[in-house]
């Protein structure tokens, strides 16, 4: 474990990572954290907060960039260990490493740019009647130490130095990561890189730590600790809801940003079904990408009956049949996938359309596509349960009204996709207000897999896709999750933070007396 | 009650308002809402949402301004009824009416300005390798229908058409108000004004409704209703926490913005105690303003022992002795105040410094100032309990370290004030990081009473002062509470919302490829 500037081997038992492609444990063993180690970690984070949040934008940006550099320095050691622990292929992991470093560098830019501060100034009006107006200045500061729970499906980009960590550090919040048990070695390598960067950049001890704990105890205790002021989590609905409950039950409740469960409805409108010959192949490619283990995997297809739909179904069957079984992240995920598929296949009114190749590897996921009627889907809430992996359900609707009813029926989603041509615009227009209420991202003529790290990205959405629809966990706005506003009224110039000082020494955009001023 | 375009008399029993200055009921009786009426109201709000949120900025701004006009049209009828129901004086209520209308007009400006949309565009990069970047555009939309619970202490500015309602309507969210039982007649008059404005401005039915219910049942049911997507509340800690629990226990949890409990520490540093002759009088004026019934009332004074402090205490005793007993808002609040004061006076180590004049009116609050040692305060958490009314507790610290320890010990606050001169800057500088973590607003050489409606205002703070430190309930940023981001990826031009269209037809500030562009 990494606790501040120390490397610590926990003494509360030990665990090993598992190679899912062989279903065998990998060396070495990792020691588990005690309550005392948790306490020490949280105290260090708390003590670091005031110093860390007042580092200059340049210091914080440089720290983020140095983390990226130190991760790249890990070279093939990191990629090889991640391959072993996750069963993900080399190219995917190299791509993910690039994304991780790009995220860190994006947040360095966000910190230098200073828009996130929401600097706002209202001048004093000493002569105003009946009462003078004081001098008011607002900036945002970090919430405090943030607990980050890594995701199994993005061992780099949503784990130890992933989006949650990068955005929390950018916001000026110390971070305590709970390592995901599915990739402990990968986590240790990255945590050491972050620690190294913190030392090089002279950051306060406690700005970053990483704990290892078996089961849920350390995680729940971390969220319950008074020093922790916010939580970032990517994982299952059950896991996220458990953390939400713990956070809400604290003497001081804290925000939880849990990205959980989404089946990402894809609406296949008739024009697109008719004109896009590649649609079935595109669907099969998206559904099986990363063994279907993307948060934005297309779990639900919705279309109105037509000859074009029948053609799509035939094409999807053929495209899936060519897909080999890919190794899933862990034996547990693989087993849950098979249970989910078995349950779906037994629901009345659900029939199999087509499947991928049978598995020849221990944790191989066989892709599948099932179908049911709109009527049946609307009547059976269990058909909305997420199956984490490469299985999708097609809803065959009788007419446009039923298609819209299905859209209105689904729970909150990360993404909703519409495949449409000009001929479909009228139907798409009817769908749009519903999709805006249901999803964080609406996309046309594409699939949700592939989440761009950009300024305009939203990787979030209404419950249960996340615990907080007001936020995104990917993209520049992810920093907003870890900030709160503070107003300074008639504060003497020598005590004002630089972002609010006269003359705007940090050259940040500010709203002055209601008008946005760029510098 | 106002349910959409209808005026409805509830049939589930009836209640009357009470004149606290005479402790007598006032005519007429108000009928209470049934479950069916609640259901109808929420359904209307839900149905109005898609239409209302897509009204143009100009239409929505005009609606807010028309509400302000219709409230002014109520003239003395409104002021007289509010005086009867609250015991507050005419000048205060006229001032509060002005503030209420200014808030509505401020949010009209906010809507026209369009910064709240956070419009963000990332251009497509079709030739990027290895994968092209799609066209991404982000705007914020309303969360959905908002339940607003009026405050007893601001019968106009934080009630039916107060800050929560104004900011939610500005965000594009329909509003369902639960009227505060302390000012039912005032609420009815204002609700009719809002209804009239909605009809005049051709807003969808259901954009605004107001229910009346006894006890907590209708309120809890309102927060639990699936159509409601956020809650605005100003009131007691117990009331706010109860709504937080209900909201968190829903199948789909929703955000609650509860502004609850704050004792607003005021640090009196030695330089200020020595040089500001008027400080004791300023304190007494602030502590008794509005019978001490402000959220930002100075409930806690903290100072280091010194001759200047003794002089302040003598002055405060004298200034309080001249203060008459003012009528509190309700017999219940008056009775809770007396209970709180009695409890405080019996805590070991607490002694009375001075009191105001004895009450000659039924619900008159006698002002009071007590003192205790820093050591005693740090040892007894019950000394932090808010006493809603004109009683304050002075903490006499032995030294600077104890002063800082007291600052670190207090719970989250709406405001923290520091009285300081140049000679105190070093101590103030030590206090500042703690105050930033504890309070939403830090003010120098003033008292928190008097909350400016401005762009840079923060009326919020860490728990228990509010349920969500990321937000403010006063000022332009209050609109952010009711918004969530939606990303549009490769959405055809004819389906894009105007805020994100090419050419920026709404002329709103937008972030384009990471750069802020004003128009």
């Amino acid at each position: 474990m990494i606790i501040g500037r120390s490397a610590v081997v926990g003494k509360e038992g030990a665990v090993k990572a598992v190679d899912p492609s062989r279903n065998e444990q990998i060396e070495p063993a990792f020691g588990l954290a005690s309550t005392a180690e948790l306490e020490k970690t949280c105290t260090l984070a708390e003590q670091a907060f005031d110093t860390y949040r007042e580092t200059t934008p340049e210091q914080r940006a440089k720290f983020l960039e140095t983390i990226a550099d130190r991760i790249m320095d890990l070279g093939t050691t990191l990629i090889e260990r991640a391959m072993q622990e996750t069963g993900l292929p080399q190219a995917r992991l190299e791509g993910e490493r690039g994304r991780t470093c790009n995220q860190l560098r994006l947040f360095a830019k966000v910190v230098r740019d200073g828009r996130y501060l929401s600097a706002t100034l209202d001048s004093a009006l000493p002569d105003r009647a009946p009462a003078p107006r004081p001098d008011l200045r607002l900036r945002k500061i970090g919430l405090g130490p943030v607990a980050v729970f890594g995701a199994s499906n993005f061992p780099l980009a949503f784990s130890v130095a992933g989006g949650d960590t990068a955005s929390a550090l950018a916001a000026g919040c110390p971070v305590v990561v709970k390592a995901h048990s599915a990739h402990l070695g990968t986590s240790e390598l990255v945590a050491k890189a972050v620690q190294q960067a913190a030392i090089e950049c002279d950051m306060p001890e406690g700005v970053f730590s990483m704990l290892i704990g078996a089961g849920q105890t350390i995680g729940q205790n971390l969220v319950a600790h008074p020093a922790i002021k916010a939580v970032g989590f990517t994982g299952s609905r059950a896991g996220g809801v458990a953390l939400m409950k713990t956070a809400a039950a604290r003497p001081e409740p804290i925000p939880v940003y849990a990205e959980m469960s989404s089946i990402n409805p894809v609406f296949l409108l008739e024009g697109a079904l008719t004109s896009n010959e590649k649609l079935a192949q595109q669907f099969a490619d998206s559904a099986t990408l990363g063994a279907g283990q993307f948060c934005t995997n297309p779990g639900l297809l919705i279309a109105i009956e037509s000859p074009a739909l029948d053609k799509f179904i035939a094409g999807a069957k053929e495209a899936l049949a060519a897909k080999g079984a890919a190794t899933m992240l862990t034996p547990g995920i693989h087993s849950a996938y098979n249970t989910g598929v078995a349950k779906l296949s037994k629901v009345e009114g659900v029939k199999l359309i087509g499947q991928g190749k049978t598995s020849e590897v221990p944790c191989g996921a066989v892709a599948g596509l099932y179908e049911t009627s709109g009527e049946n889907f609307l009547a059976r809430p269990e058909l909305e349960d997420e199956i984490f992996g490469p299985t999708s359900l097609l809803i065959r609707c009788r007419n446009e009204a039923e298609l819209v009813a299905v859209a209105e029926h689904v729970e909150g989603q990360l993404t909703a996709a519409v495949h449409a041509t000009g001929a479909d615009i009228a139907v798409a227009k009817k769908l749009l207000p519903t999709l805006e209420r249901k999803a964080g991202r609406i996309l046309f003529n594409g699939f949700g897999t592939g989440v761009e790290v950009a300024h305009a990205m939203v990787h979030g959405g209404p419950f249960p896709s996340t615990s907080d629809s007001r936020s995104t966990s990917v993209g520049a706005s992810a920093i907003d999750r870890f900030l709160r506003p503070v107003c300074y009224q008639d504060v003497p110039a020598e005590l004002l933070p630089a972002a609010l000082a006269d003359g705007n020494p940090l050259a940040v955009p500010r709203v002055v007396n209601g008008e946005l001023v760029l510098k």
Side-chain angles (χ1 to χ4, degrees), chain A residues 326-505:
Chain A
T327 301
M328 296 195 87
L329 293 157
T330 70
I333 287 174
H334 178 244
S335 149
Y337 174 68
N338 286 340
T339 307
V341 172
K343 198 177 145 205
L344 173 66
S345 67
K346 283 176 199 137
V347 175
E348 207 181 305
V350 172
K351 70 172 193 188
L352 179 67
I353 291 176
Q355 277 187 304
K357 290 181 186 163
T358 307
S359 173
E360 284 159 16
V361 285
C363 292
V366 181
L369 176 62
Y370 292 79
E371 77 157 81
T372 195
S373 68
E375 194 181 19
N376 200 42
F377 181 76
L378 292 170
R380 296 181 190 276
E382 70 267 31
L383 289 176
E384 260 203 87
D385 291 347
E386 183 185 20
I387 297 173
F388 189 69
T391 279
S392 306
L393 177 63
L394 183 138
I395 314 298
R396 188 189 278 269
C397 298
R398 276 170 305 180
N399 50 41
E400 197 181 296
E402 198 168 79
L403 182 99
V404 174
V406 167
E408 198 59 61
H409 174 79
V410 297
E411 294 185 296
Q413 305 290 341
L414 292 171
T415 69
V418 181
H419 287 265
T421 61
D424 302 314
I425 286 291
V427 186
K429 198 163 189 168
K430 273 185 206 162
L431 274 174
L432 199 58
T434 302
L435 302 186
E436 288 175 328
R437 276 187 278 106
K438 295 286 178 178
R441 178 163 56 116
I442 297 163
L443 58 149
F444 270 66
N445 298 318
F447 291 90
T449 44
V451 182
E452 193 69 33
V453 179
H455 296 273
M457 176 49 67
V458 177
H459 190 62
F463 186 89
S465 68
T466 80
S467 55
D468 192 333
S469 72
R470 296 162 293 177
S471 65
T472 173
S473 60
V474 176
S477 310
I479 192 174
D480 298 337
R481 298 177 297 168
F482 302 116
L483 297 167
R484 48 172 278 260
V486 176
C487 171
Y488 301 77
Q489 176 174 324
D490 290 334
V491 170
E494 56 265 60
L495 296 178
L496 275 175
L500 301 180
D502 289 338
N504 197 6

Side-chain angles (χ1 to χ4, degrees), chain A residues 42 45 144-147 176 222-231 250 252 254:
Chain A
C42 292
V146 174
V176 179
L222 182 58
V223 171
H225 196 283
I228 298 298
K229 301 298 184 190
V231 179
R250 288 165 49 117
E252 179 198 11
I254 55 171

